[in-house]
Amino acid sequence: MIDMREYYDMVKKYNVDVIYSGPLWADGIEGIGGTIRKRMEFDQLPLSSTQAVFSIFVEQMNNMLMHSADTKLIGENSGRMIPPSKGVFILGSKDKVYFVQSGNVMRNGSVDTIKSQIDYLNTLDKPGLRKYYKEQIKLENANKESDGAGIGLIEIARRATSKIQYSFEPYSEGLTFFTMYVTIGDGEGARK
Amino acid sequence: MSFHLEKQKTGSTPYVLIDEAKGYIRFEGESFHENVMGFYKDVNDWLDNYLKSDFDILTFDCNMDYFNSSTAKLLLNMLLNMDEHATEKNKVVVNWITTEDNDIIIECGEDFEEEMTSLEFNLVISK
């Protein structure tokens, strides 16, 4: 049996408000998203802060749905097998500074692309990110093959107050565990 | 017979109305479903055909509270398609409707407006 007291204490220690772990579904995003918004309502923040947190959540979920390698086919929907991606998502807060952290297993082949994208985004300021976002949308519209994952990362960088922090840890043969961390808000302890 | 489509909003998709008789499209709500392309496919199919016809007017009221980056990509694509077919005879009017506290939607409207050359783009911001 899992020691729930230990789990509870850990959640408390790290100021975790919402934690989700398990299979990810497109429809599931609505449910968790609703919980996140409810949580944000308590702090009576301006719409822009709530939207920033919500948007980072949505883009991280979309990215995980697309790129998580930890999938196995379960169930069937309209004759189509559903591959649920797995991942972990955490929203936490302290003194009205929020942090959003996500983790998922990905194929080694995607690591270099994502790493170099994040490193580049971290060199840009807010106006630079806004400009880059539009450029990339236009580029991807010209190239219909693209799935828009890159744009999701830019959107995360635009809405975050901090730089995007990340780590890639070896997971198993051919697979890597990817963690991403950003903060939102200007309160004390906010990392720029 | 002119085309008519109405979809009610869900937790992650907006209310959608196409009224071909009036040359009118409306989106209202939020858009962040994972399968954005699938959701808007019938709208895009209709739009392609309509823009190729000798229409008098197309009015697009885009009243979104939030949309994800895949939707942003799709919306810009739709707008560029409209802009390409807008002329004095084939008038296209886009009303980008939002509230003054919705920074994300306002910024996006400003950025998209810069890309438009022929259609009329109105940023409609209410209190």
Side-chain angles (χ1 to χ4, degrees):
Chain A
M1 203 164 68
I2 294 171
D3 185 338
M4 289 312 272
R5 173 64 200 267
E6 196 183 312
Y7 185 80
Y8 181 82
D9 286 344
M10 189 192 78
V11 161
K12 231 179 141 175
K13 179 181 157 199
Y14 290 105
N15 304 301
V16 171
D17 293 323
V18 178
I19 183 161
Y20 181 82
S21 133
L24 307 168
W25 327 85
D27 297 336
I29 292 181
E30 290 173 25
I32 314 161
T35 304
I36 287 170
R37 278 187 168 148
K38 264 271 172 290
R39 167 63 192 86
M40 307 283 303
E41 269 174 28
F42 294 135
D43 287 347
Q44 297 184 315
L45 300 160
L47 181 68
S48 55
S49 308
T50 309
Q51 294 275 62
V53 170
F54 188 75
S55 186
I56 289 168
F57 158 74
V58 167
E59 300 299 340
Q60 282 189 346
M61 282 291 182
N62 283 160
N63 276 345
M64 282 198 273
L65 274 165
M66 245 183 299
H67 296 293
S68 179
D70 190 8
T71 62
K72 62 174 183 259
L73 297 171
I74 55 163
E76 206 180 335
N77 186 17
S78 336
R80 190 169 70 101
M81 297 299 279
I82 312 163
S85 308
K86 273 191 184 168
V88 192
F89 175 92
I90 289 172
L91 167 71
S93 65
K94 201 183 174 198
D95 305 327
K96 294 195 180 180
V97 176
Y98 297 83
F99 69 87
V100 168
Q101 193 165 352
S102 63
N104 64 282
V105 175
M106 65 196 302
R107 289 196 179 77
N108 289 349
S110 313
V111 172
D112 285 350
T113 313
I114 292 188
K115 190 178 177 305
S116 60
Q117 275 181 337
I118 297 178
D119 286 342
Y120 176 67
L121 294 174
N122 281 343
T123 66
L124 299 177
D125 60 5
K126 292 294 167 199
L129 286 165
R130 182 174 174 177
K131 198 166 150 258
Y132 186 59
Y133 181 83
K134 197 167 82 168
E135 279 169 18
Q136 289 304 113
I137 283 193
K138 281 159 68 181
L139 255 170
E140 289 202 5
N141 269 333
N143 168 20
K144 309 267 183 206
E145 294 300 300
S146 176
D147 58 12
I151 292 175
L153 271 180
I154 309 171
E155 172 67 14
I156 291 169
R158 280 182 81 180
R159 302 303 156 210
T161 313
S162 68
K163 301 287 184 197
I164 299 174
Q165 297 175 48
Y166 62 83
S167 72
F168 293 98
E169 311 280 341
Y171 186 75
S172 62
E173 183 70 38
L175 297 174
T176 296
F177 193 83
F178 171 47
T179 304
M180 193 196 301
Y181 176 93
V182 293
T183 64
I184 305 103
D186 289 314
E188 235 172 279
R191 274 181 256 192
K192 298 277 164 137
Chain B
M1 247 218 25
S2 60
F3 185 76
H4 188 93
L5 172 80
E6 195 170 10
K7 295 191 197 196
Q8 295 308 321
K9 69 172 78 172
T10 72
S12 60
T13 58
Y15 169 78
V16 171
L17 174 68
I18 299 177
D19 187 348
E20 186 176 285
K22 291 180 181 153
Y24 182 72
I25 311 184
R26 183 176 186 83
F27 294 168
E28 194 174 318
E30 299 195 306
S31 178
F32 57 95
H33 197 271
E34 187 223 9
N35 184 10
V36 165
M37 293 304 275
F39 178 77
Y40 292 97
K41 191 181 178 303
D42 39 10
V43 178
N44 267 323
D45 288 348
W46 174 80
L47 186 66
D48 279 340
N49 280 323
Y50 187 77
L51 290 171
K52 281 175 194 150
S53 72
D54 188 23
F55 63 93
D56 293 323
I57 179 89
L58 174 67
T59 308
F60 174 32
D61 283 345
C62 187
N63 186 3
M64 298 283 240
D65 299 321
Y66 168 76
F67 49 79
N68 68 353
S69 59
S70 315
T71 307
K73 196 169 97 175
L74 184 134
L75 283 173
L76 180 62
N77 215 13
M78 279 178 69
L79 291 172
L80 288 169
N81 194 9
M82 291 177 188
D83 194 53
E84 199 184 309
H85 290 88
T87 61
E88 251 173 61
K89 248 182 101 260
N90 310 126
K91 197 170 164 52
V92 179
V93 179
V94 174
N95 297 309
W96 191 267
I97 305 161
T98 187
T99 49
E100 63 179 3
D101 57 350
N102 204 329
D103 300 342
I104 295 182
I105 299 289
I106 294 172
E107 268 194 8
C108 190
E110 288 169 355
D111 287 346
F112 286 179
E113 185 178 9
E114 280 175 13
E115 300 302 310
M116 301 297 125
T117 54
S118 309
L119 59 73
E120 181 185 326
F121 192 100
N122 303 309
L123 199 55
V124 185
I125 305 172
S126 61
K127 288 248 171 198

